[in-house]
Amino acid sequence: MRILSIKQALLRKGLAEYGTQIRAASVSAAVKDAAIGDRSIYTLDPINLNEPKFDKILIANRAFREKSLVMKTARAMGIKTVAVHSDVDSNALHVKMADEAVCVGPAPTNQSYLRADRILEAVKETGAQAVHPGYGFLSENTDFAAKLTAAGATFIGPNSKAILDMGDKIHSKRIAGEAKVNMIPGYDGEIADEDECVKVSNEIGYPVMIKASAGGGGKGMRIAWNDKEARDGFRLSKQEAASSFGDDRMLVEKFIDNPRHIEMQVLCDKHGNALWLNERECSIQRRNQKVIEEAPSSFVDPAMRSRMGEQAVQLAKAVGYDSAGTVEFLVDSKKNFYFLEMNTRLQVEHPITEEITNLDIVQQMIRVAYGHKLNLQQSDIKINGWSFESRVYAEDPFKGFGLPSVGRLTKYEEPVDSVEGIRCDSGIREGSEISIYYDPLICKLVSHGPNRQVALDRMRDALDNYVIRGVTNNIPLLRDIVEEERFRSGNITTKYLPETYPQGFEGASLNVGEERTLVALTATLQALKIARAQMFTNQRKAACIDPLLKDYSFVVELPKRDGEDRKTANVEVRFIDGNTEIAEVFVDGNKVKLSGEICLAKSVLHLKVDSESAKDATVQVVSKRPGELVVIYKGSQFKMRVMPKAVSELLKHMKEKPKLDLSSVVLSPMPGAIKSVSAEVGQMVTEGQELCVIEAMKMQNSLHASKTGKVKAVNVKEGATVDEGEILIELE
């Protein structure tokens, strides 16, 4: 194997055999400097450029956000970086940010990012002295950590024994119990099959949590409330665990109803020193995966914080832990906390801990791995304000709070420059592609403020100003949560989403004033479009009235939900003194005055609204097709039709398009790969019976029959790749 120039690497692109291809990343100094981000917040233990350090580290992970983050810190420390990537990620931002880049295989993770042998080969060829695993993939692989050490390189993470002890949930519970950490009631052993799962579940008492011993990130986990759910949950979780972790051992424990999920960040060195860096509240979850996190928790008082921190450090010391890690707890309503698991890696949500402690955790991991002692004492760790992290995913929040979406980011604008106290850990750019092979996380959007309410307000404003086009995303749900009364009060549990949205998420609700504002805006934009068209097509003559001084009349059709009648509003628009930044609008006779940058070219409009029962608004304009405008307000999309009155009258006589009978078909809820098909043509199936299983972005979903009937057609086979909305199975 040899180092290739950029030109040679490009010539070899597409070869069937993947060798290690290394190139010098051609990124301008300006781009790299911009990518570093603001490191000035890390004042607790600032970077010492005179301190001995690694010369070069390799980041052995696919997660663009974490790769970019590690690269930012490493470059600030004066350390060169190497990125590994699959063939489909060759143009990713982290590849261009790195000093060197190595192609380790094709898109499937088991042929690239999970190939420890290729990562080790890349370490050898590039001369990297250490490897940072980011999170996921090889970050908790004890075999990889041991092999790396044997090869003479340093693993920037805990020692392999600590990973082994804490990575196995069954074994970790025994160690935690011996370390006097509070424990959840459960079965102390591996569950062999579905029958044993049902037996143990009945002994513990429903509800129970079925989860993979080697799992993490919400994968390989199911809650069961009865015997049937225990059998189904065991089977699906076991398959998911084998696919995600290569380890399908399962365990069962008591599920604590209405709990909070609160975790404690720990930091340890190789000299016996250990700190706890305060807690993070991670209760807002769907499918056991975190959606919004905050630090500190509004539920934890100083005495409880101290007890949790001390127990977390006890556990870390018991296993000889020597890096950054997280001890997770379930907390009941009486502030009793129970050990859940320990994550022996950098957590996705670690930025909010950095924001409130002013400590760069990645920098500390690199220092500790090199062999330095921690420069801090427990008394140095304070709480500076409040911080939130919203996980911005490429997924559809209107389907089970988030089924994956794929596509290319045709437009991408982060809100870091428009809102104070905002940090974006994204690692992507406009033009990046979200595929079915990897996690759908686009960005970790972080806000910070002097208190909880300010931090929440900044998060709300950041979500309003975050522009993402090309893929469906979960900003509508995030935006609704941060304004929701229960969340604002801090009264949350892990059941928050199903309790707050019992019918599923349906989008933002508008009051009368907000509805009028959107109607006024869409009519104004349509009027502006017509006026500009008249001016630029030379239709204006000397004797004609200036198009911006004319009155415009429209009928605006409001967006409606299923079961609602068609709603329209009569609207008149006038630009005050021909000024496109001030419009006076009458919506069914109610005056709405708009001022600000009312512009067709801008992605985000900041409007001043002078109207009864209305307030100022931040609105995004998505589509400007003839007679139709799609706008985003309060995170949700609203499709508004603007038309002359005559057209509106004719539409009343148009028949609605008949809808597909969804009870007779099984549609693919998302793009993905078919893992199994249990239905056969001619087979009688009952309502609720599983017909097939689809996998996307490492998550498996069971698809069921909506009614009892005979299978008319099976349109897919195991292993097939399908698109969202594709008809998989038909019933008579």
Side-chain angles (χ1 to χ4, degrees), residues 181-185 256-262 299-301 304 307-308 311 328-340:
V181 178
N182 300 345
M183 303 300 297
I184 300 173
I256 298 175
D257 202 13
N258 294 318
R260 287 176 178 256
H261 184 138
I262 301 176
F299 190 65
V300 176
D301 56 50
M304 180 183 177
R307 293 196 304 272
M308 293 179 76
Q311 288 199 17
E328 299 191 352
F329 297 96
L330 285 183
V331 182
D332 67 20
S333 59
K334 299 187 181 300
K335 297 193 175 183
N336 298 307
F337 57 89
Y338 305 96
F339 173 71
L340 183 61

Side-chain angles (χ1 to χ4, degrees), residues 20 102 124 310 347 426 661:
T20 303
V102 182
K124 179 181 178 182
E310 288 167 1
Q347 289 283 92
S426 61
D661 180 8

Side-chain angles (χ1 to χ4, degrees), residues 536-554:
F536 287 115
T537 56
N538 295 320
Q539 293 182 16
R540 182 181 174 191
K541 298 179 181 178
C544 290
I545 299 174
D546 187 327
L548 292 176
L549 296 177
K550 292 171 58 177
D551 290 347
Y552 292 87
S553 298
F554 303 106

